Amino acid sequence: MQNITLNVKGMSCGHCVNSIEGSVGQLDGVNQVTVKLADAQVEVLFNESQVTLDKIKEKIEEQGYEVE
C-alpha cells in the first residue's frame, strides 16, 4: 500500500470534496481518499499494483481540478 498527498487547485466547497472522494474512491485499488479542503490537499491510500498514481491524478483532473 502506498499513501500519497497531492496538492490540488480549484477545490472550494463540500461539493468539491464529494466529487473527488466519490470519483477517486471508485477506482479499483483505492482504499481511502481524504480531501483536506483548507489545505488544498487530497490524501490517497492505494495499492500500487492495482492502480497507478497517474490514473488517480487523471481522475481528479476529470472532475475539473488541477493536480500540482
Side-chain angles (χ1 to χ4, degrees), residues 40-51:
Q41 294 181 330
V42 177
E43 290 183 5
V44 185
L45 178 64
F46 67 102
N47 184 335
E48 60 273 16
S49 67
Q50 291 182 280
V51 65

Side-chain angles (χ1 to χ4, degrees), residues 11 14-27 30 32-37 41-43 60 63 65:
M11 301 184 301
H15 172 74
C16 301
V17 172
N18 293 336
S19 176
I20 291 173
E21 287 181 350
S23 64
V24 175
Q26 290 179 352
L27 291 171
V30 172
Q32 184 177 349
V33 182
T34 305
V35 175
K36 294 183 176 180
L37 194 58
Q41 294 181 330
V42 177
E43 290 183 5
I60 293 171
Q63 301 301 311
Y65 308 103

